[in-house]
Amino acid sequence: DAMVIQNPRYQVTQFGKPVTLSCSQTLNHNVMYWYQQKSSQAPKLLFHYYDKDFNNEADTPDNFQSRRPNTSFCFLDIRSPGLGDAAMYLCATSTRTSGVKDEQFFGPGTRLTVL
Amino acid sequence: QKEVEQNSGPLSVPEGAIASLNCTYSDRGSQSFFWYRQYSGKSPELIMFIYSNGDKEDGRFTAQLNKASQYVSLLIRDSQPSDSATYLCAVNQGGGFKTIFGAGTRLFVKA
């Protein structure tokens, strides 16, 4: 089945210790997104890739970086996690050919705990 | 003003009833509207999308869009306990890549 996979599902890190979250997809979608979602809040877009083009949201902290080495994989790097970065991190994909459709398909998420 | 607003709930309905979930948005240039269902601790799952004014039906779900009033709603007919979840309204602004999500409405269907 075509899908979006995130690893690990749960990640515990220490304050200030770098962490990398990964996302892979078998949908062959050209757009990949990273969202941060805290409890009872809306998913917040951090950045997205349209093919190789990287687009950072203006309010995404510099502490968050991303890499997309190929169509299938995308990584979220948190360089120095703070307690406020504890959240669910969601990877999503969509296919953008023409028009305004932007139906996004989400992976299961990675729950990040910062000690 | 929040860009996408939803009542946080919880909205409680008895099994078999119609659940009505509402959403308003601020950007008049918005073109695509989505409803996602999110179970506790899980990721959002797309259940409906609508692009044109009017109603769109898919099984027990009906999405309604009124661009003049900047209002989109989701009706769930014959509500089941398994429909108990948070429903996120999402709006794509102007055909770009940014989709804004509401914080969601918690729905509880009582058996």
Side-chain angles (χ1 to χ4, degrees), chain A residues 31 33 35 37 40-43 45 48 50 57 88 90 96 99-104 106-109 111, chain B residues 31-32 34 36 38 41-46 49 51 88 92 94-104:
Chain A
V31 190
Y33 308 81
Y35 289 88
Q37 186 179 27
S40 300
Q41 295 185 20
L45 182 64
H48 76 271
Y50 178 29
E57 292 300 303
M88 175 79 90
L90 298 165
R96 177 60 67 98
V100 301
K101 296 179 182 180
D102 188 33
E103 301 145 45
Q104 297 186 24
F106 284 83
R111 172 75 64 187
Chain B
Q31 300 185 31
S32 311
F34 307 88
Y36 289 83
Q38 187 172 29
K42 304 293 186 184
S43 61
E45 172 193 12
L46 180 67
F49 58 86
Y51 308 126
L88 302 173
N92 181 272
F97 289 100
K98 185 162 187 174
T99 294
I100 306 294
F101 285 79

Side-chain angles (χ1 to χ4, degrees), chain A residues 37 40-41, chain B residues 6 8 21 36-40 44 83-88 102-107:
Chain A
Q37 186 179 27
S40 300
Q41 295 185 20
Chain B
Q6 298 181 255
S8 61
L21 305 165
Y36 289 83
R37 177 176 62 200
Q38 187 172 29
Y39 292 112
S40 181
D83 294 326
S84 299
T86 297
Y87 289 80
L88 302 173
T105 298
R106 281 192 300 138
L107 172 66

